[in-house]
Amino acid sequence: MSVSGMALILFLTFHACMNVVALISAEGYNMICEFLGANWYAVAATLVLVALIVIHFVYALILTVQNRKARGSNRYAVTDKPSQVEWASQNMFVLGVIICLGLLLHLYNFWYNMMFAELAGTEGLYAPGDGFNYIKQTFSQPVFVVLYVIWLLAIWFHITHGFWSAIQTVGWSGHVWFKRWRVIGNIWVTVVMLLFLAVLVGFWLCPDCVGKLA
Ligand code: HEM
């Protein structure tokens, strides 16, 4: 659970940093998209990513089933939940499902029109490497802006909990470091999510000024 989760956090960090390039330079961003197009290494990386997501999801299912079994049919002996039990920790699975639905939408918006189109030889609205225009077109529609904001929020809750839970699982936390990791994790995840948010708000509010800084 924790290793796949940490690898996914690393992927998200890279993905957010790359997306920020779209705010700065349309040409630079499309160069990255071409590089990460249907080349063998990019397809291989996508397969690794898919494997990580599947592993993460299967572990989550197993953990959820085990937890429910351990609690018996009466899921909570004490129904007043202790205040120190985080909301996110109790809802990791539900948040995970929202995240999966968002991911399906996201892959349809981008991956399907880009990598898949290139592999399958199909034609989308733009060239498969024209990530810049796909972002512009997607976030010109307020419904996608709203859905992506909800998605990012769910991801934020899911990972702020997941981050320190992963650190705890691999045993890097003493008393002091447990608290520190928690703060580091919260800052890290918040920055990554703000980078994603900056891209979608930038493209939504000012489609004509993004991508022209360099
Ligand atoms: C503003 C927010 C985001 C933008 C503009 C964005 C943009 C893109 C683009 C353009 C691609 C297609 C790359 C290609 O196929 O060549 C892509 C793929 C992808 N994105 Fe995002 N993304 C965003 C947020 C996210 C988030 C929050 C997640 C994860 C929860 C995510 C997960 C993925 C995955 C898994 C792929 C497929 C990667 C692959 O083909 O290997 N993205 N994204």
Side-chain angles (χ1 to χ4, degrees):
M1 191 86 233
S2 46
V3 173
S4 57
M6 282 166 128
L8 290 170
I9 292 175
L10 273 186
F11 160 77
L12 271 190
T13 307
F14 285 121
H15 194 39
C17 292
M18 279 181 220
N19 284 344
V20 168
V21 175
L23 284 178
I24 301 163
S25 161
E27 249 175 51
Y29 185 69
N30 280 358
M31 265 168 68
I32 296 176
C33 290
E34 294 278 349
F35 178 71
L36 294 177
N39 305 308
W40 70 266
Y41 46 83
V43 176
T46 300
L47 291 177
V48 172
L49 202 55
V50 170
L52 282 171
I53 293 172
V54 170
I55 291 170
H56 197 72
F57 194 77
V58 169
Y59 265 111
L61 269 180
I62 294 172
L63 272 180
T64 304
V65 169
Q66 276 178 352
N67 281 347
R68 297 214 164 164
K69 265 195 193 150
R71 291 190 201 124
S73 56
N74 199 356
R75 282 178 57 202
Y76 297 102
V78 179
T79 38
D80 261 353
K81 291 170 193 162
S83 59
Q84 66 269 37
V85 175
E86 277 188 52
W87 181 85
S89 101
Q90 295 179 347
N91 294 290
M92 285 303 268
F93 193 76
V94 176
L95 285 173
V97 172
I98 298 177
I99 292 167
C100 281
L101 293 176
L103 189 58
L104 289 179
L105 172 71
H106 180 57
L107 294 181
Y108 171 70
N109 285 153
F110 294 101
W111 179 84
Y112 174 74
N113 284 310
M114 296 172 70
M115 187 187 269
F116 179 80
E118 202 174 339
L119 288 172
T122 53
E123 290 257 327
L125 210 53
Y126 307 106
D130 194 357
F132 184 82
N133 270 320
Y134 276 115
I135 301 182
K136 205 170 180 173
Q137 191 249 345
T138 305
F139 299 127
S140 66
Q141 303 164 70
V143 60
F144 287 128
V145 176
V146 172
L147 289 175
Y148 272 65
V149 169
I150 295 171
W151 185 45
L152 289 178
L153 208 61
I155 297 173
W156 184 86
F157 273 115
H158 189 81
I159 319 187
T160 41
H161 174 75
F163 191 99
W164 68 263
S165 145
I167 298 290
Q168 205 178 13
T169 309
V170 294
W172 284 347
S173 56
H175 273 311
V176 176
W177 275 97
F178 181 74
K179 282 196 172 157
R180 282 184 191 162
W181 273 120
R182 216 186 142 136
V183 174
I184 293 169
N186 283 349
I187 294 174
W188 184 329
V189 175
T190 305
V191 169
V192 170
M193 289 304 124
L194 285 178
L195 293 180
F196 282 126
L197 194 69
V199 173
L200 71 96
V201 170
F203 274 80
W204 173 46
L205 291 183
C206 198
D208 294 328
C209 47
V210 284
K212 289 180 184 155
L213 288 179

